[in-house]
Amino acid sequence: MAVVVVGLNHRTVPLRVLEPMTVLPGRLPKALHELSGYDHLDEVVVVSTCMRTEIYAVANRFHGAVSDIRNFLSGWSGYPPEAFSDHLYSYYDDAAVAHLFRVAAGIDSVVLGEGEVLHQVRHAWQVARAEQAAGPALEVLFRQSVEAGKRVRSETAIARGTTSLSQAAVELAESRLGGLDGRSALVVGAGEMGEAVTRALAGAADRGPLLVANRTPAKASALAAAHGGRAVGWDDVPAALEQVDLVLTSTGAAEVLVDAEELTRVLAAREGRPLLIVDVAVPRDIDPAAGALDGVTLLDMDDLRAFADLAMEDRRHELPRVEQILAAEVDRYFEVAAQREVAPLVAAFRARAEEIRLKELMRLSGRLGDLDERQAGAVEALTKGLVAKLLHDPTVNLKVAAGSPRGEQLAHALQQLFDL
């Protein structure tokens, strides 16, 4: 059994291809159950964020697992496999582990050192565990990936400055508008990203009115109240679009919320005032065709990525130290995983020895005669001590060699010699 990862991200495919591959939070259990039904996938975790969809699995055959995951993505997105197969990346065993650790550390993100992705990795693992899709192997892998991500952020400056998509989105809007002084803004979506965007906007000095809209009115009201804004009813979003200078949208909707035709009507009511829209949702909330309308500047995740690239230079100097930490964490993972792998064999070996010890004591009990408590204790201690000394070196050698070809040979020999 080995760990594999198959996926697509913002570097390998255009946004239009990545969008239908996205596994929205509400559909994550369905995706996990579908994947768990494939022949070559024994454990599964799905990490799907705004700029990546990756499936981690414990596989009994690498090529079979890749084929299963490709078929899942095809059925999920509606794209035939040949439309995206060339864009898939797949990693196996140590490369798969190293990739996940890089993701958790935020060095494979749009914004270098991004903090939000660590929470997303943890959440993906927790949901997979709750749905019984992730077992002991992925439990160890994901727990240690989270620990590696925390260590990188605490021991390096990779997380210094703007390290979240929400902050970057607000800074992008600020750069395009020449500042947020007096600018009114509408945030569409009150989920995790919407909350972070609202918080970033609320911290801007001298900003104008802040509006929040969400399909669930109570969530919009709570978020707006917490940051000095005002909630807008879902049906009142078109009217709000007529008034504001800036729109930041980040819902988890599966379909476009505002099409070009509706924005055309909004623009007529705006009387020539320009409208900046930053759509950080994947799939997108705003019809891409709206970007061609006069008076609308529509920015999406591709624009955000380009903007973030310019702000990363200082944090790039931290990459050698980050890579060093991650390499050490990967090595530690394999040590832990290898020892866990031989643990059942060691336990079986010790159980067999104990079984033999007890049988021999039983067989000789008649010849030992009636022992008092002190004598019986001495025999018990003597036999247990002999067994422990005989098992010590084989057990240590097996654990030290675990995960190596020699370790496999020793494990196989132990199984054959003692019929384990």
Side-chain angles (χ1 to χ4, degrees):
M1 295 291 182
V3 176
V4 302
V5 56
V6 180
L8 311 99
N9 66 23
H10 60 283
R11 294 188 183 91
T12 65
V13 292
L15 194 55
R16 60 177 177 78
V17 177
L18 186 60
E19 284 177 306
M21 304 287 178
T22 303
V23 181
L24 297 171
R27 302 188 69 199
L28 187 52
K30 173 178 170 58
L32 289 166
H33 288 295
E34 282 191 22
L35 284 160
S36 296
Y38 281 90
D39 291 340
H40 301 102
L41 308 178
D42 291 327
E43 298 182 30
V44 181
V45 173
V46 177
V47 177
S48 189
T49 71
C50 57
M51 292 306 276
R52 76 178 65 250
T53 292
E54 297 177 343
I55 290 117
Y56 293 82
V58 174
N60 49 51
R61 285 181 55 211
F62 173 69
H63 294 294
V66 172
S67 178
D68 284 348
I69 294 171
R70 183 174 59 239
N71 290 337
F72 164 78
L73 290 171
S74 176
W76 189 265
S77 66
Y79 277 114
E82 59 270 18
F84 63 87
S85 292
D86 290 345
H87 301 290
L88 284 176
Y89 48 83
S90 58
Y91 302 111
Y92 175 78
D93 215 5
D94 55 345
V97 173
H99 178 76
L100 174 60
F101 282 27
R102 289 174 62 84
V103 170
I107 61 174
D108 194 56
S109 297
V110 175
V111 178
L112 188 64
E114 177 197 357
E116 292 157 349
V117 71
L118 185 60
H119 168 76
Q120 292 163 338
V121 167
R122 184 193 293 111
H123 178 70
W125 158 43
Q126 290 172 339
V127 173
R129 183 174 56 183
E131 297 296 328
Q132 299 183 330
L138 291 185
E139 176 87 7
V140 174
L141 174 62
F142 273 80
R143 176 179 288 111
Q144 193 155 334
S145 75
V146 171
E147 291 175 4
K150 290 179 178 178
R151 183 183 169 195
V152 161
R153 289 171 174 82
S154 66
E155 296 183 18
T156 75
I158 196 72
R160 183 182 299 157
T162 299
T163 57
S164 73
L165 290 175
S166 53
Q167 286 178 298
V170 172
E171 289 179 10
L172 172 59
E174 187 173 10
S175 70
R176 289 299 185 103
L177 292 172
L180 296 177
D181 293 0
R183 302 285 190 174
S184 55
L186 167 66
V187 176
V188 182
E192 184 179 340
M193 179 67 79
E195 182 178 354
V197 166
T198 303
R199 185 166 55 248
L201 278 172
D206 299 321
R207 61 167 173 81
L210 175 59
L211 310 180
V212 179
N214 191 66
R215 286 189 187 276
T216 305
K219 291 187 69 174
S221 297
L223 181 57
H227 297 286
R230 177 170 63 85
V232 174
W234 195 250
D235 293 337
D236 297 325
V237 167
L241 290 173
E242 296 176 6
Q243 304 300 321
V244 297
D245 302 300
L246 166 65
V247 179
L248 291 116
T249 178
S250 60
T251 77
E255 299 177 351
V256 164
L257 298 179
V258 180
D259 59 28
E261 183 178 348
E262 186 169 8
L263 269 178
T264 300
R265 293 193 293 270
V266 167
L267 290 172
R270 291 180 64 86
E271 299 179 343
R273 289 185 300 110
L275 176 63
L276 174 62
I277 303 175
V278 181
D279 185 355
V280 293
V282 179
R284 284 173 284 197
D285 287 334
I286 309 298
D287 182 357
L293 299 175
D294 288 338
V296 173
T297 299
L298 176 60
L299 306 177
D300 59 20
M301 291 300 296
D302 288 335
D303 300 291
L304 184 58
R305 177 178 56 190
F307 174 77
D309 282 343
L310 298 175
M312 290 184 196
E313 202 55 44
D314 288 343
R315 292 199 298 279
R316 284 197 179 96
H317 296 303
E318 294 294 300
L319 283 175
R321 173 60 180 149
V322 170
E323 297 284 8
Q324 184 181 24
I325 291 172
L326 293 182
E329 288 294 316
V330 168
D331 288 343
R332 186 167 73 90
Y333 161 76
F334 278 107
E335 288 176 8
V336 172
Q339 289 176 6
R340 282 178 61 92
E341 192 172 324
V342 300
L345 180 58
V346 169
F349 182 37
R350 291 182 176 278
R352 176 58 55 85
E354 178 66 6
E355 179 186 355
I356 293 170
R357 185 186 74 85
L358 292 174
K359 281 184 177 179
E360 285 301 297
L361 284 176
M362 182 68 68
R363 186 175 67 83
L364 294 171
S365 60
R367 296 167 58 183
L368 291 173
D370 293 330
L371 302 177
D372 59 30
E373 185 176 340
R374 185 183 64 81
Q375 292 169 330
V379 171
E380 181 78 4
L382 173 65
T383 55
K384 278 190 172 182
L386 285 172
V387 169
K389 287 183 181 297
L390 286 170
L391 297 187
H392 176 74
D393 285 346
T395 300
V396 170
N397 289 333
L398 186 62
K399 288 183 175 179
V400 169
S404 69
R406 179 172 177 271
E408 292 180 7
Q409 292 173 349
L410 291 176
H412 180 70
L414 194 66
Q415 289 171 318
Q416 295 297 311
L417 288 169
F418 292 89
D419 194 25
L420 300 175

